[in-house]
């Protein structure tokens, strides 16, 4: 797929559509990496973004930029938030006009995050170019109203059919049932905007296990394709974890990421947890756990310097993580993992012997896992570290391998072979 058609049918231009121009999380970080990798291959790129961010990377790489110039939903006018979140007419018009004036038969459209600004409305004008449009599912918002197949009040995974009777009557939202009803309305609008017979190019899933939720929502198996995210180690050598005693949490400090569980378990186990990240829980957690270390938000290179003192990385998410990028980055640096049983990577971590899993929402069990890692014989944890260093990167794509797969898919779409 990759070599033959990539030579014969290269994309003339790739239009990347994303809510944000500045990275605030893993998805937009990957969007900006894709921009960099495509430009390194001399593929022209147009960025259509929902915000008004002035990212210097765009001019540095020579990318065209079209900005909607709006704020994310929760930061705008409440009434406009309710309406625009369901159908943002300005976003639809912006994309319609770009297609009308700039589209060519060899232009590829690659949709990423749309749920915070752009809304389901963008898929209506994309009908015209659907066969050349890839939809990248960084989460499950294309299938599930709350984007995670998670019952937040009960903190359990959801197995319901999206927009089925039980789904409609179940309060699963992290805020309120009224907010769930709004999400249901948005989901219905999404399904309508997508259309049941529109020939979209492909839906790209970031892990194979996401497919079950998409199939439950009515998507066809042949329209789904799993392309795992790219990852690079934090450092270019194995971290000697057998000499270290610190445990690390890296991520946004919000309830569903579970930093509160990690801190409680670390205190109970009597180990030191170093927290890298920022978010709404930070102030309260700093006050509650003064004995722990809070580094705040750090750039990737700074994380690489900090994590050389790690014995293990904890991944205590309270929702099913479709792909834990930081888990692969740490494990590929030789750092063993302690992660939630709900993580899609959990089975592979156990199979490869690169870490341990547990119910991280049970503080006693989580503390026992930390104590087990802390008490592990020096030779045993060194071997676990060496296995992680050797095997973990296989759980992801390399950046260049990821770009090769995506450009191969672009070429196949242009050749009509998908």
């Amino acid at each position: 797929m990759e070599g033959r058609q990539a030579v014969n049918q290269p994309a003339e231009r790739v239009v990347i559509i994303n809510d944000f121009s500045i990275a605030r999380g893993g998805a937009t970080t990957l969007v900006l990496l894709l921009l960099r990798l495509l430009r390194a291959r001399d593929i022209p790129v147009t960025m259509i973004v929902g915000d008004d961010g002035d990212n210097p990377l765009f001019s540095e790489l020579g990318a065209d930029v079209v900005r909607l110039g709006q704020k994310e939903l929760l930061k705008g006018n409440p009434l406009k938030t309710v309406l625009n979140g369901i159908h943002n007419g300005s976003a639809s018009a912006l994309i319609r006009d770009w297609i009308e004036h700039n589209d060519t038969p060899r232009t590829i459209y690659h949709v990423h995050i749309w749920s915070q600004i752009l809304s389901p409305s963008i898929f209506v004008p994309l009908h015209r170019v659907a066969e050349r449009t890839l939809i990248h599912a960084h989460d499950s918002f294309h299938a599930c109203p709350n984007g995670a197949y998670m019952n937040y009040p009960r903190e359990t995974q959801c197995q319901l059919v999206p927009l089925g009777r039980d789904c409609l009557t179940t309060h699963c939202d992290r805020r309120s049932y009224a907010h769930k009803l709004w999400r249901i309305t948005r989901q219905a609008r999404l399904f309508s905007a997508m259309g049941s017979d529109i020939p979209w190019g492909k839906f790209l899933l970031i892990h194979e296990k996401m497919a079950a939720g998409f199939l439950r929502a009515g998507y066809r198996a042949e329209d789904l394709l799993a392309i795992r995210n790219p990852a690079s180690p934090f450092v270019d050598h194995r971290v000697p974890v057998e000499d270290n005693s610190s445990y690390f949490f890296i991520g946004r400090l919000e309830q569903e990421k579970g930093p509160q569980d990690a801190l409680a378990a670390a205190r109970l186990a009597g180990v030191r947890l170093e927290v890298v990240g920022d978010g709404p829980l930070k102030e309260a957690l700093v006050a509650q756990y003064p004995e722990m270390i809070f580094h705040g938000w750090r750039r990737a290179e700074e994380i690489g310097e900090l994590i050389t003192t790690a014995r293990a990385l904890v991944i205590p998410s309270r929702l099913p993580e479709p792909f834990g990028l930081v888990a692969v980055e740490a494990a590929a640096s030789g750092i063993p993992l302690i992660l939630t049983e709900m993580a899609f990577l959990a089975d592979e971590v156990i199979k490869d012997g690169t870490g341990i899993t547990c119910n991280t929402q049970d503080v006693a069990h989580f503390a026992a896992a930390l104590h087990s890692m802390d008490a592990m014989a020096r030779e045993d944890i060194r071997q676990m570290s060496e296995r992680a260093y050797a095997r973990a990167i296989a759980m992801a794509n390399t950046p260049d391998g990821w770009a090769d797969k995506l450009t191969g898919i672009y070429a196949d779409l242009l050749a009509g072979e998908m």
Side-chain angles (χ1 to χ4, degrees):
M1 176 183 74
E2 298 164 29
R4 185 183 71 256
Q5 295 301 337
V7 171
N8 295 332
Q9 291 284 334
E12 187 172 75
R13 176 172 294 274
V14 175
V15 179
I16 296 176
I17 301 172
N18 194 60
D19 276 338
F20 302 115
S21 56
I22 305 293
R24 308 179 186 190
T28 298
T29 297
L30 291 173
V31 167
L32 298 177
L33 173 62
L34 176 59
L35 166 62
R36 188 181 293 278
L37 292 168
L38 291 176
R39 293 299 297 128
R41 288 160 170 74
D42 293 324
I43 298 174
V45 176
T46 293
M47 299 289 302
I48 298 182
V49 296
D51 64 9
D52 59 358
D54 186 17
N55 192 330
L57 185 66
F58 297 157
S59 58
E60 174 190 329
L61 297 178
D64 294 335
V65 187
V66 180
R67 298 180 179 87
L68 181 62
Q70 295 184 2
K71 298 183 183 300
E72 60 184 298
L73 291 179
L74 295 179
K75 295 184 178 179
N77 176 279
L79 179 58
K80 286 185 177 180
T81 290
V82 170
L83 298 176
N84 282 349
I86 295 169
H87 183 90
N88 189 328
S90 298
S92 180
L94 183 73
I95 291 175
R96 182 190 64 235
D97 290 348
W98 195 95
I99 292 172
E100 185 175 325
H101 293 101
N102 301 282
D103 183 54
T104 71
R106 284 169 45 210
T107 296
I108 289 288
Y109 297 81
H110 196 154
V111 180
H112 292 267
I113 300 298
W114 51 266
S115 60
Q116 294 299 310
I117 301 176
L118 297 171
S119 87
S121 69
I122 64 172
F123 294 101
V124 176
L126 287 170
H127 286 185
R128 178 174 165 183
V129 292
E131 293 179 338
R132 292 182 273 120
T133 298
L134 287 173
I135 298 165
H136 215 120
H138 296 277
D139 47 42
S140 291
F141 273 117
H142 272 279
C144 167
N146 71 26
Y149 275 113
M150 187 74 182
N151 187 315
Y152 285 96
R154 296 182 180 178
E155 295 190 339
T156 58
Q157 295 184 58
C158 173
Q159 300 298 329
L160 301 179
V161 175
L163 302 194
R165 183 184 63 184
D166 290 341
C167 171
L168 297 177
T169 57
T170 298
H171 170 28
C172 61
D173 195 82
R174 74 182 71 179
R175 295 184 180 88
S176 66
Y177 184 62
H179 195 257
K180 164 68 180 289
L181 293 176
W182 176 82
R183 287 185 183 272
I184 286 171
T185 305
R186 181 175 70 174
Q187 198 72 18
R189 176 56 185 149
L190 173 66
F191 288 160
S192 172
M194 297 292 297
S196 60
D197 58 351
I198 302 299
W200 300 106
K202 281 291 179 185
F203 291 86
L204 300 183
L205 313 181
I206 61 176
H207 194 283
E208 296 80 357
K209 288 185 178 180
M210 292 179 69
F214 276 70
L215 294 173
R216 199 185 319 152
Y219 290 88
R220 302 181 305 172
E222 57 267 32
D223 294 332
L224 309 177
L225 182 64
I227 302 290
R228 293 198 180 190
N229 286 340
S232 300
F234 282 124
V235 294
D236 59 4
H237 59 277
R238 184 186 75 84
V239 174
V241 299
E242 62 273 17
D243 297 328
N244 297 338
S245 58
S246 281
Y247 294 81
F248 274 75
F249 170 95
I250 301 174
R252 185 159 172 77
L253 303 185
E254 55 191 6
Q255 182 174 348
E256 56 263 36
K257 294 297 184 181
Q260 68 277 27
D261 299 327
L263 287 158
R267 174 180 283 175
L268 185 59
V271 301
R272 180 172 64 243
L273 185 71
E274 300 193 34
V275 178
V276 180
D278 206 343
L281 295 183
K282 183 180 178 182
E283 185 176 346
L285 293 176
V286 169
Q288 189 175 356
Y289 295 96
E291 76 274 24
M292 303 302 177
I293 301 174
F294 291 82
H295 294 285
W297 182 86
R298 290 289 185 269
R299 298 189 306 273
E301 56 269 26
E302 294 175 308
I303 295 174
E305 295 173 2
L306 291 171
I307 208 158
T308 57
T309 65
R311 188 171 182 86
L313 178 80
V314 299
I315 310 286
S317 298
R318 289 186 167 192
L319 52 79
E321 287 280 3
F323 190 88
L325 187 61
V326 68
V328 179
E329 293 169 330
S333 305
I335 300 169
L337 305 173
I338 301 175
L339 75 168
T340 172
E341 295 168 329
M342 291 192 295
F344 284 1
L345 294 177
D347 292 345
E348 293 165 71
V349 168
I350 295 300
K351 178 177 177 290
D352 291 342
T354 57
I356 57 180
T357 66
C358 67
N359 178 0
T360 55
Q361 293 180 60
D362 184 316
V363 172
H365 286 178
F366 196 175
L370 285 164
H371 184 268
S372 173
M373 189 73 79
D374 208 51
M376 191 175 292
R378 179 182 176 84
E379 180 61 16
D380 290 343
I381 196 168
R382 183 186 65 79
Q383 289 182 7
M384 181 177 281
S385 170
E386 289 179 346
R387 288 192 297 269
Y389 185 63
R391 302 173 184 176
I393 200 64
M395 294 191 294
N397 280 295
T398 64
D400 281 333
W402 184 63
D404 288 344
K405 288 179 180 179
L406 291 177
T407 54
I409 294 168
Y410 298 163
D412 280 352
L413 290 179
L414 294 174
E417 295 194 358
M418 296 295 286

